[in-house]
């Protein structure tokens, strides 16, 4: 592995990583760069007003009645003013799609349970449960196997 650092006071700061494949190291490096750039949180709304919500504190993002909600580590719900596809671009790579209307923080997943019908549920550390689509479960298994 080679490391290059170019210091130019007049240039716009950017970070470029060339890697063979995505790994735990590249995910952590991307999260570090985003934190340093101030991109580690999002505006979340409650009935009391707006509060910054750190990405690391989000367990799941889900759509209910056409509105986007984030569930934090304490199980509290926050309203987000983004569409799911916008959040997919904004969130760090440790967020994965688990069904058509939900994103999960894979670092906060506790376990998966299967029912007799073949349905799979994802359980989060805060106690929240969300179903996992079969199409997304295949990708989740692949990512967890390559950790």
């Amino acid at each position: 592995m080679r490391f290059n650092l170019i210091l130019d006071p007049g240039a716009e700061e950017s970070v470029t990583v060339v890697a063979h494949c995505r790994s735990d190291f590249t995910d952590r490096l991307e999260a570090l760069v985003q934190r340093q750039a101030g991109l580690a949180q999002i505006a979340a709304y409650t009935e009391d007003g707006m509060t910054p919500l750190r990405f690391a504190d989000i367990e799941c993002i889900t759509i209910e009645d056409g509105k986007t909600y984030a569930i934090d580590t304490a199980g509290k719900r926050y309203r987000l003013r983004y569409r799911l596809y916008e959040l997919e671009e904004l969130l760090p790579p440790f967020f994965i799609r688990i069904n058509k209307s939900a994103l999960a923080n894979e670092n906060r997943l506790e376990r998966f349970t299967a029912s007799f019908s073949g349905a799979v549920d994802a359980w989060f550390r805060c106690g929240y449960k969300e179903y996992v689509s079969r199409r997304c479960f295949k990708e989740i298994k692949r990512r967890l196997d390559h950790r």
Side-chain angles (χ1 to χ4, degrees):
M1 182 182 297
R2 227 176 40 196
F3 177 78
N4 294 325
L5 176 64
I6 301 168
L7 299 174
D8 183 357
E12 179 182 351
E13 289 186 343
S14 70
V15 176
T16 303
V17 176
V18 179
H20 295 286
C21 64
R22 183 171 284 282
S23 66
D24 184 49
F25 173 74
T26 59
D27 291 346
R28 287 184 292 139
L29 183 59
E30 184 176 7
L32 173 68
V33 170
Q34 288 179 340
R35 273 195 307 275
Q36 294 301 317
L39 301 175
Q41 61 188 20
I42 192 167
Y45 298 87
T46 63
E47 293 175 7
D48 300 331
M50 193 268 302
T51 184
L53 184 60
R54 293 177 350 117
F55 291 152
D57 293 336
I58 299 173
E59 298 219 350
C60 184
I61 297 173
T62 186
I63 304 293
E64 292 178 10
D65 298 325
K67 296 178 181 157
T68 309
Y69 293 95
I71 293 101
D72 73 357
T73 54
K76 187 173 179 184
R77 291 180 179 273
Y78 296 89
R79 174 86 160 85
L80 303 178
R81 294 193 175 158
Y82 289 92
R83 299 267 190 217
L84 215 53
Y85 71 89
E86 295 170 325
L87 289 167
E88 278 185 304
E89 294 173 9
L90 182 66
L91 292 167
F94 53 82
F95 278 88
I96 54 177
R97 186 174 285 272
I98 58 172
N99 63 46
K100 188 173 81 171
S101 60
L103 299 171
N105 180 341
E106 71 177 293
N107 299 325
R108 303 294 303 171
L109 285 167
E110 187 172 85
R111 68 182 188 276
F112 295 96
T113 58
S115 67
F116 291 114
S117 65
V120 176
D121 290 328
W123 288 84
F124 296 87
R125 292 183 188 167
C126 71
Y128 181 74
K129 177 179 81 168
E130 183 71 51
Y131 82 94
V132 180
S133 71
R134 290 180 185 172
R135 180 184 309 155
C136 294
F137 191 63
K138 182 179 178 181
E139 173 65 15
I140 293 168
K141 281 179 28 179
R142 186 193 66 76
R143 284 178 68 162
L144 293 175
D145 287 342
H146 288 90
R147 263 188 164 177

